């Protein structure tokens, strides 16, 4: 009985949700920050420190 409830909830989410895919950021390579020439780390502004972009 528990399995059927879980499957039913998953089908409801699949119908209403908009599919989106996470793509690794090309500037920081997924780390969320990158190293500058001054040997400091800065937050990536393309992905805002998350390390991935939504497509």
């Amino acid at each position: 009985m528990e399995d059927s409830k879980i499957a039913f909830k998953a089908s409801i989410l699949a119908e209403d949700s908009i599919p989106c895919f996470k793509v690794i950021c090309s500037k920081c390579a997924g780390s969320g920050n990158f190293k500058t020439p001054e040997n400091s780390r800065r937050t990536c502004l393309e992905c805002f420190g998350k390390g991935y972009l939504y497509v």
Side-chain angles (χ1 to χ4, degrees):
M1 191 66 176
E2 292 291 324
D3 295 335
S4 63
K5 289 181 184 177
I6 294 170
F8 183 70
K9 288 180 183 178
S11 66
I12 291 174
L13 291 175
E15 292 174 4
D16 296 338
S17 64
I18 299 171
C20 60
F21 301 101
K22 292 181 182 179
V23 177
I24 295 176
C25 179
S26 60
K27 188 172 184 180
C28 65
S31 67
N33 53 25
F34 58 94
K35 192 172 182 182
T36 61
E38 297 88 23
N39 275 341
S40 63
R41 296 216 172 255
R42 302 269 172 124
T43 302
C44 180
L45 296 178
E46 287 189 26
C47 64
F48 299 107
K50 293 182 290 188
Y52 53 86
L53 304 168
Y54 289 112
V55 177

